[in-house]
């Protein structure tokens, strides 16, 4: 407790020298007095939040282990639990100027757990950075805004009490809203209300929150299966998957669902969901999309075109369109998977396994898969990584991926008890539900994962893995998107074709394209520079004539200028020129129409700014007249509008406003 207290206040300005001790005084809500040697001063702290923070030390430890297992803070699922734990802990910082501090505890957790969990020690800095980033985001986006709103609500409540000259109870609904909107714990709000001697119905606040949560959970009597809703009373029947070994098989229709309800028969032309007693169709799960294909009546004209397949617990649901003949429960059928589509999915799925192995080798063993989407010959792969990835690192990943493809390693799939599989070192996706018997997919000597998806038998059949993008998709979470097989080849050929076209346009060989482009770019810059110089000279000549046409409005110099078809960037230069011409007692308005938009700039000399004339206010009041907006400083402001036919109104309005101010 004392160690944690010192860490919490290690940046307090009054703390100097060495911490020498503490003692608890008082009854009930104790105080902790802490002593430092250098100044012989003491810091008195309320013990309640400190004790609460010590209770949350266990929560921080849980966060550390979750992140180590690949669960990052997010807005849903297990990631939301991690985010919520961090936020609850962050709220225990009593500082009026909160700063991240939870990340400092990570080293203590890692040190304490170094023997049974050495991997925590290895990832200590990475985990600390993830927690710190989440704290910073919370403090900036939510905590500060939430506290500001809470302060406003309390101030408004106090104002009502003054107006009514009586004590009022703080609304329980507001307490609940602060939690549901800003994430402010109800206990925290109660503590703030206690400080200002204000009461509220805390029980009612908790009830309101619980009621809203129950409404969300019970908002529908339907559950989602695939892309349709099924009434909660409908229990999907179990089916057996035989698709690891077969692309087609005979089966029997055991369940038909239409419009969310279970039926015995579906008509031609209807969209339905069908469950078979056994099927070669892979139901969407683990990030892999479902198979497509055909379910045909055995010896009849029945044909169900399967557009997608979903998996729900032990059931595999085929989404399809009925053709040829009505379909009934107990109908005997032949289920056939679209083989080309499945092969394309297999290529992409096998590539994700290779990618995870390559990322762990190229970036570090702490890389964890955080999600994926596997489609025919394309995939995206989300993974944990706490910093940007350099181009050199991405080049290395791209090269290593296809090195593994060229090795043409054999894939081996084995069924074994989960307890035995865990001992092999196979990687499991955290949070994924695995049955007692699991499937392990191994590739060469570099990849071994829990996986129920479909795969190739040799990596060489992938053909090519082409990374198309790499980006950040969240705090310490990155995403790679890539193509495989036919789509990868099409992309490469498309880019080669584009290079050929560029080569023809530049009239150089493909190896000389970059040098030719550099030469053209240098020439273009020189031409632009020369044009800018000419424009500036022309503008200066134009402005000399403008100066002669100056107006005197209420004793000040007012200059209006229109620049025909000039780049908006010249407006500022024009204002600067006019200020040099009239360093005192001047207000200037410059406008231009460029690319079907009207642009404006307003300048005011320093002496008039002191007299209360503001370019910012002039622009903000004048531009709404022409459907525009803008703003800036007191001496310079700018804005624009699409209503170019009203451009003359702005200068007239500014002139009028200046007269009114004077």
């Amino acid at each position: 407790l004392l160690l944690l207290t010192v860490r919490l206040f290690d940046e307090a300005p009054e703390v100097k020298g060495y911490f020498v001790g503490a003692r608890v005084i008082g009854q009930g809500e104790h105080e902790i007095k802490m002593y430092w040697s250098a100044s012989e001063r003491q810091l008195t702290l309320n013990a309640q939040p400190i004790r609460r923070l010590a209770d949350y030390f266990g929560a921080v430890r849980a966060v550390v282990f979750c992140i180590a297992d690949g669960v990052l803070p997010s807005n849903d699922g297990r990631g939301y639990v991690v985010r919520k734990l961090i936020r609850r802990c962050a709220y225990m910082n009593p500082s009026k100027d909160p700063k991240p501090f939870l990340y400092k505890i990570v080293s203590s957790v890692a040190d304490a757990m170094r023997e049974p969990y050495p991997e925590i020690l290895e990832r200590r800095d990475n985990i600390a950075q993830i927690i710190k980033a989440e704290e910073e985001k919370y403090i900036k986006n939510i905590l500060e805004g939430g506290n500001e709103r809470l302060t406003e609500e309390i101030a408004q409540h106090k104002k009502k009490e003054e107006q009514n000259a009586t004590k009022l109870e703080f609304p329980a609904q507001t307490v609940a809203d602060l939690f549901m909107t800003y994430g402010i714990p109800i206990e925290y709000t109660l503590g703030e209300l206690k400080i200002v001697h204000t009461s509220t119905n805390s029980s009612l606040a908790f009830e309101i929150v619980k009621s809203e949560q129950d409404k969300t959970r019970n908002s529908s009597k339907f559950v989602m299966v695939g892309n349709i809703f099924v009434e909660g009373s409908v229990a999907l029947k179990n089916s057996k998957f035989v698709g690891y070994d077969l692309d087609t098989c005979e089966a029997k229709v055991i369940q038909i669902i239409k419009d969310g309800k279970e039926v015995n028969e579906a008509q031609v032309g209807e969209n339905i969901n069908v469950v078979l007693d056994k099927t070669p169709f892979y139901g969407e799960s683990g990030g892999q999309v479902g198979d497509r294909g055909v379910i045909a009546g055995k010896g009849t004209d029945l044909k169900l075109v399967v557009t997608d397949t979903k998996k729900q617990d032990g059931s595999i649901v085929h989404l399809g369109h009925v053709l040829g003949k009505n379909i009934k429960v107990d109908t005997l059928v032949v289920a056939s998977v679209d083989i080309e589509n499945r092969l394309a999915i297999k290529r992409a799925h096998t590539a994700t396994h290779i990618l995870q192995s390559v990322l762990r080798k190229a970036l570090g063993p702490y890389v964890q898969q955080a999600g994926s989407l596997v489609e025919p010959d394309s995939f995206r792969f989300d993974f944990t990584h706490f910093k940007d990835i350099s181009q050199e690192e991405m080049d290395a990943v791209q090269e290593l991926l296809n090195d593994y493809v060229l090795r043409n390693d054999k894939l081996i799939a084995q069924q074994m008890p989960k307890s035995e599989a865990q001992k092999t070192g196979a990687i499991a996706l955290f949070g994924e539900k695995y049955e007692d018997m699991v499937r392990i997919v191994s590739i060469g000597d570099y990849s071994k994962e829990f996986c129920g998806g479909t795969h190739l038998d040799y990596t060489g059949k992938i053909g090519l893995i082409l990374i198309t993008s790499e980006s950040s998709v969240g705090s310490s979470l990155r995403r790679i998107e890539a193509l495989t097989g036919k789509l990868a080849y099409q992309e490469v050929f498309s880019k080669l074709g584009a290079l050929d076209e560029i080569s023809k346009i530049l009239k150089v060989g493909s190896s000389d394209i970059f040098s030719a482009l550099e030469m053209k770019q240098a020439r273009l810059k020189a031409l632009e520079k020369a044009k800018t110089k000419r424009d500036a000279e022309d503008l200066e000549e134009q402005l000399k004539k403008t100066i002669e046409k100056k107006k005197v409005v209420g004793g000040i110099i007012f200059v209006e200028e229109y620049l025909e078809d000039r780049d908006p960037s010249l407006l500022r230069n024009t204002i600067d020129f006019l200020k040099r011409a009239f360093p005192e007692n001047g207000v200037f308005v410059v406008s231009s129409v460029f690319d079907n938009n009207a642009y404006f700039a307003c300048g005011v000399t320093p002496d008039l700014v002191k007299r209360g004339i503001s370019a910012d206010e002039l622009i903000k009041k004048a531009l709404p007249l022409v459907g525009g907006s803008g703003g800036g400083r007191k001496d310079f402001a700018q804005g624009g509008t699409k209503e170019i036919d009203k451009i003359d109104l702005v200068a007239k309005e500014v002139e009028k406003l200046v007269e009114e101010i004077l």
Side-chain angles (χ1 to χ4, degrees):
L1 171 62
L2 295 179
L3 173 63
L4 197 58
T5 306
V6 174
R7 288 192 174 208
L8 178 59
F9 291 93
D10 65 356
E11 296 176 1
E14 60 268 55
V15 177
K16 304 294 181 183
Y18 296 97
F19 171 72
V20 294
R23 64 189 179 92
V24 178
I25 60 174
Q27 300 292 326
E29 290 190 7
H30 301 293
E31 289 186 338
I32 298 177
K33 284 196 173 182
M34 308 183 68
Y35 304 90
W36 280 264
S37 59
S39 59
E40 297 184 353
R41 294 176 62 189
Q42 66 184 40
L43 181 64
T44 302
L45 310 171
N46 188 316
Q48 187 177 24
I50 303 301
R51 288 202 311 273
R52 190 180 299 170
L53 184 59
D55 291 337
Y56 280 120
F57 187 91
V60 177
R61 182 173 58 186
V63 167
V64 169
F65 275 87
C66 284
I67 293 175
D69 280 330
V71 182
L72 299 177
S74 66
N75 285 330
D76 54 17
R78 55 189 183 270
Y80 178 67
V81 176
V82 174
R83 172 164 286 171
K84 191 173 180 180
L85 285 171
I86 292 175
R87 291 181 176 183
R88 295 283 292 212
C89 293
Y91 249 114
M92 295 306 105
N93 187 342
S95 171
K96 295 299 181 184
D97 181 24
K99 292 182 175 62
F101 70 97
L102 295 171
Y103 73 96
K104 299 177 182 180
I105 304 172
V106 174
S107 59
S108 297
V109 174
D111 290 340
M113 300 294 175
R114 64 190 308 159
E115 289 187 12
Y117 301 99
E119 64 272 18
I120 299 294
L121 192 62
E122 293 174 4
R123 289 197 58 196
R124 175 181 56 195
D125 294 339
N126 168 241
I127 294 170
Q129 288 183 358
I130 293 172
I131 294 175
K132 185 180 181 182
E134 182 66 21
E135 286 187 272
E136 289 173 340
K137 183 166 62 175
Y138 181 49
I139 290 170
K140 183 177 185 299
N141 297 336
I142 300 179
L143 187 59
E144 291 176 354
N147 277 338
E148 185 178 336
R149 181 61 185 272
L150 175 57
T151 301
E152 289 175 0
E153 292 288 353
I154 292 175
Q156 291 176 10
H157 182 77
K158 286 295 183 183
K159 189 175 181 179
K160 287 181 182 177
E161 287 185 334
E162 291 175 5
Q163 292 172 346
N164 291 278
T166 184
K167 267 301 210 190
L168 299 174
E169 189 176 78
F170 192 81
Q173 182 66 54
T174 302
V175 177
D177 289 342
L178 287 167
F179 170 71
M180 292 184 287
T181 304
Y182 293 95
I184 302 178
I186 292 177
E187 299 89 344
Y188 181 86
T189 302
L190 297 179
E192 293 298 300
L193 292 176
K194 189 173 184 179
I195 293 173
V196 296
H197 308 291
T198 299
S199 63
T200 188
N201 189 336
S202 58
S203 298
L204 179 58
F206 281 110
E207 287 176 10
I208 292 171
V209 172
K210 185 177 184 301
S211 175
E212 288 300 319
Q213 292 172 340
D214 289 343
K215 283 181 184 177
T216 301
R217 280 192 290 267
N218 302 321
S219 60
S220 175
K221 65 177 181 177
F222 293 91
V223 295
M224 193 70 177
V225 178
N227 60 359
I228 67 159
F229 286 105
V230 175
E231 286 189 356
S233 59
V234 175
L236 294 175
K237 295 184 178 180
N238 289 345
S239 49
K240 182 181 180 182
F241 178 62
V242 296
Y244 292 135
D245 304 311
L246 301 172
D247 296 322
T248 183
C249 75
E250 294 184 359
K252 182 171 72 172
V253 176
I254 59 173
Q255 191 173 31
I256 301 173
I257 298 168
K258 184 179 72 173
D259 298 329
K261 298 179 180 179
E262 189 170 3
V263 296
N264 288 321
E265 183 177 359
Q267 308 295 316
V268 172
E270 291 181 334
N271 293 316
I272 61 171
N273 287 26
V274 170
V275 180
L276 307 178
D277 61 343
K278 58 183 176 180
T279 178
F281 286 76
Y282 181 84
E284 179 182 327
S285 60
Q288 178 178 328
V289 298
D291 281 327
R292 302 198 303 252
V294 173
I295 296 176
K298 195 174 180 183
T300 71
D301 295 332
L302 168 64
K303 187 177 182 181
L304 181 73
V305 179
V306 179
T307 56
D308 200 358
T309 310
K310 304 291 182 180
K311 184 178 180 181
Q312 180 77 11
D313 298 325
S315 180
I316 297 174
V317 185
H318 308 79
L319 285 65
H321 183 73
V322 184
L323 298 176
K325 185 179 179 181
N326 293 354
I327 186 171
K328 300 179 181 179
V329 173
D330 293 332
T331 299
L332 297 179
V333 295
V334 177
S336 302
V337 171
D338 182 330
I339 297 175
E340 286 299 316
N341 184 70
R342 169 173 280 191
L343 280 173
I345 294 173
K346 285 181 176 182
R347 287 192 288 264
H349 198 162
T350 302
T352 64
H353 283 232
I354 297 176
L355 177 60
Q356 175 157 220
S357 177
V358 167
L359 290 174
R360 290 168 69 88
K361 184 175 182 178
L363 304 180
Y366 54 80
V367 168
Q368 297 276 346
Q369 180 179 347
S372 66
L373 174 62
V374 178
E375 298 179 304
D377 272 333
S378 71
F379 68 88
R380 71 168 185 246
F381 186 87
D382 296 343
F383 59 100
T384 58
H385 190 57
F386 61 91
K387 62 180 180 180
D388 292 343
I389 302 175
S390 69
Q391 187 58 51
E392 290 76 14
E393 289 173 321
M394 284 308 303
D395 290 343
V397 169
Q398 176 71 81
E399 184 176 356
L400 193 52
L401 279 172
N402 288 292
D403 283 347
Y404 283 148
V405 171
L406 292 173
R407 281 174 49 170
N408 198 27
D409 290 308
K410 183 176 176 59
L411 279 80
I412 299 174
Q414 298 172 286
Q415 294 277 354
M416 62 181 71
K418 183 168 66 173
S419 57
E420 182 181 333
Q422 290 169 334
K423 296 176 184 177
T424 67
I427 297 174
L429 183 61
F430 188 87
E432 188 75 15
K433 294 180 180 179
Y434 296 102
E435 299 177 356
D436 293 335
M437 288 296 294
V438 296
R439 187 168 180 262
I440 302 298
V441 176
S442 303
I443 309 176
D445 57 358
Y446 55 85
S447 175
K448 185 178 290 185
E449 297 186 34
F450 284 57
C451 185
T454 57
H455 288 278
L456 302 168
D457 51 356
Y458 287 93
T459 61
K461 292 183 179 180
I462 294 174
L464 173 67
I465 304 175
L466 180 66
I467 294 175
T468 56
S469 71
E470 187 279 326
S471 61
S472 170
V473 289
S475 177
S476 301
L477 188 65
R478 305 199 70 81
R479 171 173 293 171
I480 283 178
E481 297 186 39
L483 303 175
T484 57
K486 292 181 179 179
L487 289 184
Y489 282 123
Q490 289 171 8
E491 181 70 10
V492 170
F493 289 142
S494 174
K495 289 182 176 179
L496 288 174
L499 285 175
D500 286 340
E501 288 298 317
I502 295 171
S503 177
K504 290 175 183 177
I505 293 171
L506 296 175
K507 297 179 180 179
V508 296
S510 58
S511 60
D512 298 323
I513 285 177
F514 292 108
S515 58
L517 285 173
E518 287 175 353
M519 290 175 62
K520 284 192 174 292
Q521 190 174 29
R523 185 183 176 194
L524 181 60
K525 284 183 178 179
L527 291 172
E528 288 176 345
K529 186 176 181 181
K531 183 178 183 300
T532 301
K533 184 179 179 181
R534 286 197 305 271
D535 287 346
E537 291 171 351
D538 293 343
L539 179 60
E540 191 168 332
E541 288 299 317
Q542 179 181 342
L543 292 177
K544 286 177 182 178
K545 297 176 182 179
T546 300
I547 290 172
E548 297 173 1
K549 297 184 293 183
K550 67 180 185 295
K551 294 181 183 180
V552 177
V553 179
I556 71 165
I557 299 167
F558 183 80
V559 180
E560 172 194 353
E561 182 58 37
Y562 172 69
L563 308 179
E564 186 174 358
D565 198 29
R566 295 293 183 93
D567 191 291
S569 62
L570 290 174
L571 297 183
R572 180 184 287 272
N573 296 340
T574 305
I575 294 292
D576 291 340
F577 179 89
L578 292 172
K579 283 185 177 180
R580 288 195 298 272
F582 303 103
E584 294 181 347
N585 206 34
V587 174
F588 320 108
V589 177
V590 184
S591 59
S592 173
V593 174
F594 189 80
D595 284 346
N596 294 319
N597 286 295
Y599 300 93
F600 304 88
C602 179
V604 178
T605 54
D607 58 314
L608 293 183
V609 170
K610 292 180 181 178
R611 290 177 61 184
I613 299 178
S614 167
D616 177 58
E617 291 183 11
L618 293 173
I619 281 289
K620 285 181 176 177
K621 289 180 179 178
L623 286 187
L625 294 178
V626 295
S629 62
R633 305 188 308 268
K634 291 183 178 181
D635 64 330
F636 176 81
Q638 57 190 346
T641 181
K642 291 186 177 297
E643 299 182 21
I644 58 178
D645 56 323
K646 300 179 181 178
I647 191 169
D648 295 336
L649 297 177
V650 174
K652 292 177 182 177
E653 180 66 17
V654 170
E655 184 178 343
K656 177 184 172 184
L657 290 169
V658 169
E659 285 187 285
E660 291 176 355
I661 294 170
L662 293 173

